[in-house]
Amino acid sequence: MGLIAWLIIGGLAGWIAGNIMRGGGFGILANIGVGIVGAVIGGFLFSLLGLQAGGFVGSLVTATVGAVVLLWIISKVRQA
C-alpha cells in the first residue's frame, strides 16, 4: 500500500474515531496522525486476537478500532 493510501486511511480513521469518541474530528493533520498510530495499535490488537483484515476496508476498520482505543487511553490519562 502506498503512502497516499496510508494518509487517506489515516485521515479517515482519525476522523471516524474522533466522531465516535468526542463528536468531532481534530483537523486533518491530527486526524492523519491519530489514524496512523491507531493503525499500528489496531494491527497489534487484531494480531493478539488472531483476527486478520485485508484490503482498503479492512485496513480502515483496523485503523479505526486502534484510533478509538488510542483516544480512549488519552482520555483516561487526561482524567488522572
Side-chain angles (χ1 to χ4, degrees):
M1 195 173 311
L3 177 64
I4 299 298
W6 276 107
L7 294 176
I8 291 170
I9 290 170
L12 287 172
W15 179 76
I16 292 168
N19 284 319
I20 290 171
M21 291 303 291
R22 70 173 188 97
F26 301 103
I28 190 146
L29 293 177
N31 282 346
I32 291 171
V34 167
I36 290 173
V37 173
V40 172
I41 293 170
F44 175 72
L45 293 174
F46 275 34
S47 69
L48 285 178
L49 298 172
L51 300 173
Q52 189 174 16
F56 182 82
V57 174
S59 296
L60 183 60
V61 169
T62 302
T64 302
V65 168
V68 167
V69 169
L70 174 64
L71 294 177
W72 180 78
I73 291 170
I74 290 171
S75 73
K76 294 302 174 189
V77 168
R78 284 189 177 174
Q79 288 177 357

